[in-house]
Amino acid sequence: MGRWRDGTGELSVLDGAGEPVPLEIAASYRARTRGLLGRDGIDGAILLTPASSVHTFRMRFPIDVAHLDRRLRVIAIRTMRPGRLGAIRPRARYVLEAEAGAMAAWGLRPGVRVAIATGQDLRT
């Protein structure tokens, strides 16, 4: 699997029957560092790549955090309030962030795989 670049795409939960979710991809150091800081919310989700942990210092709203392995399988999901430091997940290659409660609505849970479509390519 190749590397992503900063941009947009769509996230699909492979074991779910829902609609694709709008996705922002933060692949550069600058985009990963900025993440959701300074925002009041997000429509969809943001994928941090590569990443194995996150923090919510200076965040304005609680978020759902999903750690994904290199095959885009969910390792763990956690809801984090602002001002928290997340645990490092050694097997995690990517971190998916969304507003609190969104991932449950999408059917995302540990063990489920996701697909990410960016432009003309699809990574699963």
Side-chain angles (χ1 to χ4, degrees), residues 22-34:
L23 181 70
E24 293 179 35
I25 299 170
S28 68
Y29 175 78
R30 176 181 237 168
R32 287 191 316 269
T33 302
R34 185 178 60 242

Side-chain angles (χ1 to χ4, degrees), residues 77-106:
I77 297 179
R78 178 176 182 206
T79 300
M80 295 177 65
R81 295 183 312 210
R84 303 288 184 227
L85 180 63
I88 294 173
R89 302 284 176 165
R91 292 185 315 138
R93 174 79 174 135
Y94 313 102
V95 173
L96 189 64
E97 297 178 345
E99 287 191 23
M103 291 185 185
W106 302 334

Side-chain angles (χ1 to χ4, degrees), residues 11-73:
L11 173 81
S12 298
V13 179
L14 295 181
D15 294 348
E19 295 290 319
V21 175
L23 181 70
E24 293 179 35
I25 299 170
S28 68
Y29 175 78
R30 176 181 237 168
R32 287 191 316 269
T33 302
R34 185 178 60 242
L36 295 176
L37 297 178
R39 299 189 197 189
D40 292 321
I42 183 171
D43 180 31
I46 185 169
L47 179 75
L48 307 176
T49 174
S52 61
S53 70
V54 296
H55 68 82
T56 58
F57 300 118
R58 297 184 4 231
M59 299 260 321
R60 297 180 181 169
F61 58 97
I63 60 172
D64 284 344
V65 176
H67 293 87
L68 309 174
D69 67 11
R70 62 188 176 103
R71 293 191 174 98
L72 299 177
R73 186 174 307 275

